[in-house]
Amino acid sequence: MKTIFEPFRIKTVEPIRVTTRDERERLIKDAHYNLFGLHADDVLIDLLTDSGTGAMSAAQWAAVMRGDESYAGSPSFYRFEAAVKALMPFTHIIPTHQGRAAEAILFSIFGGPGRNIPNNTHFDTTRGNIEASGAAGHDLVIAEGKDPGGLHPFKGNIDLERLEFYLGEHGDSVPCVMTTITNNAGGGQPVSLANIRATAALARKFNKPFIIDGCRFAENAWFIKQREAGQGARSIPDIVNDCFAEADGMTMSAKKDAFGNIGGWLALNDDDLAEQARNHLIRTEGFPTYGGLSGRDLDALAQGLTEIVDEDYLRYRIRTNEYIIERLDALGVPVVKPAGGHAVFVDARAWLPHIPPLEYPGQALSVALYETGGIRGCEIGTVMFGAHPDGTETPAPMDLVRLAIPRRTYTQSHADYMIEVFEDLSRTKDSLRGLRIVRQPKLMRHFTCRFERLGA
Ligand SMILES: *Cc1c(COP(=O)(O)O)cnc(C)c1O
């Protein structure tokens, strides 16, 4: 089916204020050409992130009303815990306010100077928490995972040979083995069940706990069902259970595959580790039956977890990305293929070859998407990764624009509108100009730096 069937109807709407191109040119100039500086009200289609930006269901809003705000032992917690355990068979479920809080607690135990932690690709907050503890993170994704156009079905897989070598080489300095499903920093690409099992077997062989960063577990399970031999007839919850049965723990951002606007958790099987984690939680997040969340958040997540594994939803979700990618591909816009779970990545360096990497083709395209159509995407390239602590700058490996798709928020008409904006740009793109940075902070400059357009 070409049409994306959106398996929901709309009960509450949020108006989108339509702006003109002239207005947008002024607004983005006033924001110093940094899309993080825009007011969200001035954006028509907001694809900055899929984190916490999805639509809750009627049943989730009903669950919000059931939320119980008791400090200790709230029934909301027990509903949340049961919903997590129904999918992920861990002994201890520790709620947190976001995924990064779960990571901070985990690496208060597993981090520390001299330690080494492998992953397919560490997400930026994961790496940040590892490095803040004094430890080092290493990315061991397969070579196909770094080739934007290559069509491997599981580009998020960890390279098992490299992992085995790594575990032999780093020995006791490795506190745990991680894998991230789907591989967010690698384009939302999935990890196969076979790869998860083989990674778990290697971790066991070297006597290391195996931790899954499970933020997009349902999308990953959908890809396993579609692409992995022998999995096509199985239910999504069964596949999810199999993935996590291999692990000793998980970190989770419930702003992704739990349909939450906020939330997260850390899960562990080991009693001693869980006790250490809860002690840290009490100091930084809150009592163990609420973490950093209100009871109503916990109830919304409990309900969200039952909805995220629905196959009609997952088909719609993944089909949306495929549809946009097919249409962009047909227009000659270079995109990362195959479609990942949560976002469409456009290769701006390849599409705008007249703009050199140090004039930020990804930022130039992001600005042009906003001016032309009010679309807000996110540069993932030299602006984000090109600056070094010593003040020098080099091109990032790629200059991409990420269009992250919020869950259940936009329709096929919005997707068609986006494609029209790209059509328009494909006629004018040769006249787009690069930018230069006129002011930047020392760290994570992409959030706040200011740009000027070159040749103005
Ligand atoms: C979003 C995300 C995180 C961090 O979660 P927050 O809720 O944003 O703190 C960690 N890992 C992955 C893979 C993510 O996508």
Side-chain angles (χ1 to χ4, degrees), residues 73-240:
S74 160
S76 299
F77 169 74
Y78 293 106
R79 287 191 282 266
F80 161 80
E81 185 189 43
V84 176
K85 286 189 175 185
L87 291 169
M88 295 117 178
F90 294 111
T91 312
H92 303 279
I93 312 295
I94 300 167
T96 60
H97 82 279
Q98 278 194 229
R100 66 197 69 186
E103 293 167 349
I105 295 171
L106 184 70
F107 297 115
S108 75
I109 302 169
F110 283 156
R115 290 194 153 167
N116 291 294
I117 298 157
N119 202 330
N120 48 0
T121 311
H122 288 289
F123 183 65
D124 55 10
T125 59
T126 319
R127 178 174 286 280
N129 274 299
I130 288 172
E131 290 176 358
S133 80
H138 298 101
D139 299 336
L140 305 179
V141 72
I142 55 171
E144 292 89 333
K146 293 185 210 154
D147 169 17
L151 284 174
H152 191 286
F154 290 104
K155 287 168 90 169
N157 281 355
I158 220 164
D159 185 330
L160 296 163
E161 256 175 57
R162 281 175 72 201
L163 178 62
E164 181 152 23
F165 180 77
Y166 180 99
L167 289 170
E169 192 185 18
H170 290 290
D172 286 345
S173 76
V174 180
C176 63
V177 172
M178 290 188 78
T179 202
T180 304
I181 64 172
T182 58
N183 189 16
N184 183 353
Q189 296 291 332
V191 181
S192 70
L193 182 55
N195 191 259
I196 291 172
R197 287 186 166 144
T199 305
L202 272 178
R204 270 194 298 275
K205 177 174 161 191
F206 286 85
N207 229 342
K208 311 289 183 195
F210 174 44
I211 308 291
I212 296 180
D213 176 340
C215 294
R216 295 181 179 76
F217 71 88
E219 291 167 12
N220 200 76
W222 175 258
F223 285 119
I224 288 175
K225 184 177 165 86
Q226 302 303 310
R227 297 181 184 171
E228 193 158 345
Q231 301 296 324
R234 303 189 60 220
S235 79
I236 296 293
D238 280 354
I239 295 172
V240 171

